Amino acid sequence: MKSYRIALIPGDGIGKEVVPAGRQVLEALAGTESGFQMEFESFDWGGDAYRKHGEMMPANGLDALRGKDAILFGSAGDPDIPDHITLWGLRLKICQGLDQYANVRPTRILPGIDAPLKRCRPEDLNWVIVRENTEGEYSGAGGRVHQGFPIEVATDLSVMTRAGVERIQRYAFKLAQSRPRKLLTVVTKSNAQRHAMVMWDDVAREVAKDFPDVACDKEMVDAMTARMVNRPASLDTIVATNLHADILSDLAAALAGSLGIGPTANINPERVYPSMFEPIHGSAFDIMGKGIANPVGTFWTAAMMLDHLGEAAAAARLMQAVEQVTANPALHTRDLGGTATTAQVTEAVCAAITSSRPLATA
Ligand code: IPM
Ligand code: MG
C-alpha cells in the first residue's frame, strides 16, 4: 500500500486546533478502503519555539521537510511577537525555501452556507485565485536606514523577474485550461505601475499564445474588487501578484461566506520540493483555545493535498463529506453563525467519511 510522509506544522493560535482535526479526518480516510496510508511527523515550530529558542523554526528546519511528500500547515502569528517576524521566520521561509511559487486558492459557496451577496447564486461563484508566491511585493528586498531620525528612509521593493512572472502565468493558464470554462482573468495595475506590471501584462500576452483555447481578459486590481462583487459569474480562474492576490483572496473568502472555510495550496509545480497546504484563516487569537475554530478550511485544504498527491478519489470523498456537514446548520461553527465546536464538526466529517462508499477512481 502507498504510504505518504506528511509533515504537520500546527504553528500558532487556532492552527494548533485545526491541524489535529485535519489529521483526524485524514486518518479516517486512509487505510485499506482508500488504498494509501499516511505517516505523520509533527513539528512544534512557531511562536512558542521563538520564545524558547529565539527562532520560529530551526536553521536546518527546511532539511527536515525536503524528504516529505507534503506539508499540512496551520498558521503563524502570535499576539506578543511582531507579525513580520512570525511570518518571515516560518511561512515565508518555507514558501521561498521550497520554491512553492504557486499559491492556489479556490473559492466556492459550499452547501448550507449563507453568503453575503444578495444576487449571487452558488453556481455564480466558483473561482480559483492563483497567487504569485515567491517574489513581487513580498520579495523581502528593501531596507530602513537612519531609524528614528527625521531623515529616516524605508523601502519595500517589489521585485518581479521575467522567469518568475512567466512561470506563474503558465501555471495559471494551465489551471484555467483544466477547468470547464477555460477562462482566465489577469489582474494588473499597469496603468499606475509602469515597469514591472507592464512586463507582467506583456508576459501574460506571450504565454496566452500557447493556450489558444483559454479565453483571457485583463482587469485592474481596483476594478477587480467591484467586479467580484457585481459580476461574480464573469470570473473563473484569476492570476495576480503576491499582494494583489492576498487582498483579493480575503475578499473572495468573505463573499463565499467565511474566512474559516477557504483553503490554500502553496505548490512547487515541478515537485522538486514538497508543497504546503494551509487554511487561509490565520491564527485568530480572539478565539484560540476555545475549541470553536472552524476546521472546514483545513479539511478542504487536506482535500487539495490529497489531489496533489494523486489521490483524487479520496479528495472527492472528503469534499463530499465536508459538504454533507456544511449543509447542516446545526454543524456550523460560530464564524457561520452557529454554535458547533471544532470537535463536533470534525466528528461529523469523520462519520460522513466512514459511512460513505469509496467513489470509483476517476
Ligand atoms: C495569507 C496571509 C498572510 C499573507 C499573512 C499572515 C502575512 O494573509 O496567507 O494570505 O499576507 O500572505
Ligand atoms: Mg491574506
Side-chain angles (χ1 to χ4, degrees):
M1 192 184 297
K2 263 176 294 175
S3 183
Y4 298 108
R5 287 154 301 171
I6 308 296
L8 300 175
I9 308 177
D12 301 320
I14 61 169
K16 289 182 190 155
E17 298 165 53
V18 294
V19 167
R23 177 183 182 153
Q24 212 177 312
V25 302
L26 284 168
E27 275 168 349
L29 263 177
T32 44
E33 264 189 319
S34 297
F36 65 86
Q37 287 174 338
M38 300 211 144
E39 208 181 290
F40 296 100
E41 185 178 358
S42 209
F43 296 89
D44 58 353
W45 300 340
D48 292 337
Y50 183 83
R51 265 182 288 274
K52 261 191 248 153
H53 314 295
E55 22 181 41
M56 296 286 289
M57 68 186 273
N60 61 355
L62 290 179
D63 295 338
L65 300 178
R66 280 198 189 92
K68 302 293 180 193
D69 294 307
I71 304 161
L72 185 63
F73 185 88
S75 69
D78 188 288
D80 303 321
I81 307 171
D83 288 335
H84 63 278
I85 291 181
T86 52
L87 181 70
W88 281 96
L90 192 58
R91 186 171 160 274
L92 289 186
K93 195 165 165 177
I94 297 172
C95 289
Q96 290 194 346
L98 300 180
D99 207 22
Q100 295 161 347
Y101 63 82
N103 178 294
V104 182
R105 298 186 158 172
T107 312
R108 276 192 294 127
I109 302 175
L110 297 185
I113 304 296
D114 186 22
L117 285 179
K118 260 193 305 205
R119 285 183 302 273
C120 177
R121 298 162 304 168
E123 60 269 32
D124 294 336
L125 200 165
N126 185 344
W127 304 331
V128 186
I129 298 181
V130 176
R131 170 180 181 183
E132 198 296 313
N133 211 31
T134 47
E135 57 174 31
E137 308 88 344
Y138 283 56
S139 71
R144 226 174 134 179
V145 290
H146 307 303
Q147 272 199 43
F149 290 92
I151 57 162
E152 180 169 351
V153 185
T155 57
D156 276 306
L157 196 60
S158 172
V159 175
M160 297 206 189
T161 61
R162 177 171 276 271
V165 173
E166 187 177 337
R167 65 184 187 172
I168 196 65
Q169 297 282 1
R170 213 164 267 290
Y171 185 90
F173 270 95
K174 248 189 231 159
L175 183 64
Q177 194 176 45
S178 74
R179 290 169 51 89
R181 291 178 69 191
K182 299 190 196 303
L183 176 63
L184 179 70
T185 300
V186 179
V187 176
T188 185
K189 192 62 195 173
S190 51
N191 53 354
Q193 295 181 300
R194 58 192 180 153
H195 308 295
M197 290 311 302
V198 177
M199 179 178 80
W200 170 270
D201 294 358
D202 288 348
V203 171
R205 212 173 302 115
E206 288 162 26
V207 172
K209 290 187 191 136
D210 292 338
F211 296 86
D213 54 336
V214 175
C216 169
D217 66 4
K218 179 169 118 180
E219 193 71 79
M220 295 297 157
V221 65
D222 48 348
M224 184 67 174
T225 59
R227 179 164 163 193
M228 286 166 73
V229 172
N230 294 328
R231 292 187 296 131
S234 72
L235 298 164
D236 185 77
T237 311
I238 296 158
V239 63
T241 67
N242 213 328
L243 181 63
H244 289 168
D246 174 42
I247 298 163
L248 296 179
S249 58
D250 267 25
L251 174 59
L255 294 177
S258 170
L259 268 171
I261 290 176
T264 297
N266 298 285
I267 305 276
N268 172 250
E270 290 74 28
R271 295 172 186 261
V272 176
Y273 305 111
S275 296
M276 181 162 78
F277 300 81
E278 56 172 337
I280 192 176
H281 52 57
S283 39
F285 315 134
D286 51 330
I287 58 160
M288 69 182 177
K290 295 188 178 158
I292 57 168
N294 191 346
V296 167
T298 301
F299 300 158
W300 192 345
T301 292
M304 291 185 84
M305 184 173 91
L306 289 166
D307 255 326
H308 180 77
L309 292 170
E311 299 295 343
R317 200 165 158 213
L318 173 52
M319 278 317 284
Q320 203 179 53
V322 166
E323 292 184 25
Q324 208 174 309
V325 167
T326 60
N328 180 357
L331 291 168
H332 285 182
T333 43
R334 198 173 79 175
D335 55 305
L336 298 173
T339 56
T341 63
T342 312
Q344 285 167 339
V345 179
T346 306
E347 275 150 32
V349 170
C350 287
I353 289 168
T354 29
S355 67
S356 74
R357 303 214 50 78
L359 302 174
T361 320

